[in-house]
C-alpha cells in the first residue's frame, strides 16, 4: 500500500471513529428536545440504537463525504498550511452534507422548507469534527513522511 493510500485510510478510520463518538452528544440533544416538547424520550436502548445507526451512517459517509472533502482540501492547498486545507475541506464537507440531507428529506417526504434548512445546518455541523480529524491526520502523516524523506 502506498504512503498516500495508507495516510488516507488512517484518516478515514479516524473520521469514522470521531463521527460515531458524537452519538452521546446527539442523543443528549435529542433527549433535551424531547423533554422540552413533552415528547417520548425513548427507551433504555435508545443510546445503543443510536450508536449502531451512527456506525452504519458513518461507514457510508466515509467514502461519500469525508474522503472527497479531504482529497479536495489536500489537492487545492497542496503546499498550503493546515488551516487552508481545513477551510477548503470544511466547505466541501458542508456542501456535500447539506446536499445529502436535502436529498433525503425530499425522498422521504420530510419536513417543511424551514425544517429542511434546519436539518441541513445540523448535518453540516455534524460533519465538521470528523472532517477536521481526517484532514489533521492526513496533514500530520504527510508532514511526518516528508520529514523522514529529508533524512
Amino acid at each position: 500500500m502506498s504512503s498516500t493510500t495508507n495516510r488516507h485510510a488512517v484518516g478515514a478510520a479516524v473520521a469514522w471513529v470521531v463521527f460515531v463518538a458524537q452519538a452521546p452528544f446527539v442523543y443528549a440533544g435529542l433527549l433535551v428536545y424531547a423533554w422540552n416538547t413533552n415528547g417520548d424520550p425513548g427507551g433504555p436502548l435508545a443510546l445503543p440504537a443510536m450508536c449502531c445507526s451512527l456506525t452504519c451512517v458513518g461507514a457510508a459517509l466515509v467514502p461519500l463525504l469525508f474522503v472527497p472533502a479531504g482529497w479536495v482540501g489536500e489537492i487545492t492547498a497542496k503546499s498550503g498550511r493546515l488551516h487552508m486545507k481545513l477551510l477548503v475541506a470544511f466547505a466541501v464537507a458542508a456542501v456535500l452534507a447539506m446536499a445529502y440531507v436535502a436529498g433525503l428529506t425530499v425522498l422521504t417526504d420530510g419536513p417543511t422548507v424551514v425544517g429542511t434548512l434546519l436539518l441541513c445546518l445540523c448535518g453540516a455541523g455534524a460533519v465538521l469534527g470528523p472532517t477536521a480529524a481526517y484532514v489533521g491526520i492526513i496533514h500530520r502523516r504527510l508532514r511526518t513522511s516528508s520529514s523522514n524523506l529529508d533524512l
Side-chain angles (χ1 to χ4, degrees), residues 34-114:
W35 284 335
N36 286 336
T37 60
N38 294 328
D40 183 21
L45 296 178
L47 181 59
M50 180 167 284
C51 289
C52 288
S53 64
L54 284 181
T55 300
C56 295
V57 170
L61 285 181
V62 166
L64 294 174
L65 195 141
F66 302 126
V67 173
W71 279 344
V72 170
E74 186 177 18
I75 290 169
T76 57
K78 191 105 176 130
S79 62
R81 299 186 190 270
L82 178 60
H83 69 277
M84 186 55 84
K85 290 179 183 180
L86 280 173
L87 285 175
V88 172
F90 282 165
V92 172
V95 167
L96 286 173
M98 287 191 285
Y100 295 150
V101 169
L104 283 174
T105 55
V106 167
L107 288 175
T108 58
D109 200 26
T112 62
V113 174
V114 175

